[in-house]
Amino acid sequence: SYELTQPPSVSVSPGQTARITCSGDALPKQYAYWYQQKPGQAPVLVIYKDSERPSGIPERFSGSSSGTTVTLTISGVQAEDEADYYCQSADSSGTWPLGVFGGGTKLTVL
Amino acid sequence: QVQLVESGGGVVQPGRSLRLSCAASGFTFSSYGMHWVRQAPGKGLEWVAVIWYDGSNKYYADSVKGRFTISRDNSKNTLYLQMNSLRAEDTAVYYCARDEEMATIDISGFDYWGQGTLVTVSS
């Protein structure tokens, strides 16, 4: 089955730049989406279609794509950005489409 | 504003059934595909199922195929998940989520989520 691979954890100091990667063979052909999830809360979409930012999401959140890897970049990290981050895409290689999530990355703000 | 409110969770014995509901408001429900996503305690997100905006197609994760059925009533702005033959590994918070593309026949991202409803499968 199709998998998206993320690092389990990323740590940065406040004000630094955090980069979270997500790798998958189909990412050159399918858009990726990124979600932020804080403890006890539902996920929130922070990046859609690889690099688009929904309204209300701070400009410090950005997304990029290169080959089989997409990257979520948080510039000028703030304490409130500490959360779990998940990438998501679609697997359309089979008979029917399936949704797929990466395993998640815990962002720690030191 | 867009709102998704899940209900129907609870404690159920292995092998029994449960039906979840998701009441939608603040948007044209019949124009969007809808998904169920779950999260086991302390674990990551797992996509469960999708139903097209018009109910014409439904697709499932391998882990629930043949046991779960997604459906919708566009006249009631409500999404459902019928869960049969429940197992301990189905224990999770279940979220309904809206597909971010209107009237799509593919899986995109999820732009709005409900607050989730907890399903616990235990004897």
Side-chain angles (χ1 to χ4, degrees):
Chain A
S1 61
Y2 181 51
E3 292 184 353
L4 296 175
T5 302
Q6 298 180 235
S9 63
V10 168
S11 298
V12 295
S13 299
Q16 289 191 326
T17 296
R19 294 180 179 85
I20 300 173
T21 59
C22 173
S23 299
D25 289 342
L27 288 178
K29 295 173 289 187
Q30 292 282 352
Y31 284 124
Y33 302 79
W34 289 96
Y35 305 88
Q36 176 194 68
Q37 187 181 34
K38 296 181 179 179
Q41 298 183 18
V44 173
L45 180 68
V46 294
I47 293 291
Y48 68 100
K49 290 187 170 69
D50 291 347
S51 59
E52 300 296 318
R53 192 173 55 250
S55 60
I57 299 302
E59 291 185 8
R60 63 180 182 274
F61 288 86
S62 63
S64 61
S65 175
S66 179
T68 58
T69 300
V70 293
T71 302
L72 172 69
T73 300
I74 310 172
S75 305
V77 166
Q78 300 182 6
E80 67 199 52
D81 299 330
E82 185 163 285
D84 293 325
Y85 291 85
Y86 296 90
C87 63
Q88 174 258 319
S89 188
D91 177 9
S92 298
S93 63
T95 306
W96 48 79
L98 301 173
V100 60
F101 284 96
T105 298
K106 181 174 182 58
L107 176 66
T108 299
V109 182
L110 301 171
Chain B
Q1 71 283 18
V2 173
Q3 270 201 307
L4 299 170
V5 179
E6 301 94 337
S7 60
V11 180
V12 61
Q13 292 180 329
R16 304 298 290 263
S17 299
L18 204 61
R19 189 177 84 154
L20 305 183
S21 299
C22 170
S25 61
F27 66 103
T28 305
F29 181 70
S30 59
S31 293
Y32 289 86
M34 296 295 297
H35 302 258
W36 287 99
V37 176
R38 69 183 181 183
Q39 186 170 36
K43 302 297 184 182
L45 300 172
E46 180 187 14
W47 177 83
V48 173
V50 61
I51 185 168
W52 280 177
Y53 66 100
D54 58 358
S56 60
N57 283 293
K58 311 168 187 181
Y59 301 109
Y60 302 90
D62 287 345
S63 57
V64 307
K65 199 182 316 173
R67 300 188 299 122
F68 289 12
T69 301
I70 189 172
S71 62
R72 64 192 297 158
D73 186 338
N74 284 346
S75 68
K76 296 182 178 179
N77 292 343
T78 303
L79 175 73
Y80 302 100
L81 185 67
Q82 177 67 44
M83 303 185 295
N84 298 333
S85 303
L86 282 162
R87 306 167 180 168
E89 54 263 37
D90 295 319
T91 294
V93 174
Y94 285 75
Y95 297 99
C96 64
R98 189 183 84 166
D99 199 286
E100 60 98 13
E101 284 270 22
M102 188 185 299
T104 185
I105 53 170
D106 200 350
I107 293 176
S108 303
F110 318 127
D111 58 354
Y112 289 94
W113 297 63
Q115 84 289 351
T117 187
L118 177 61
V119 173
T120 303
V121 183
S122 173
S123 54

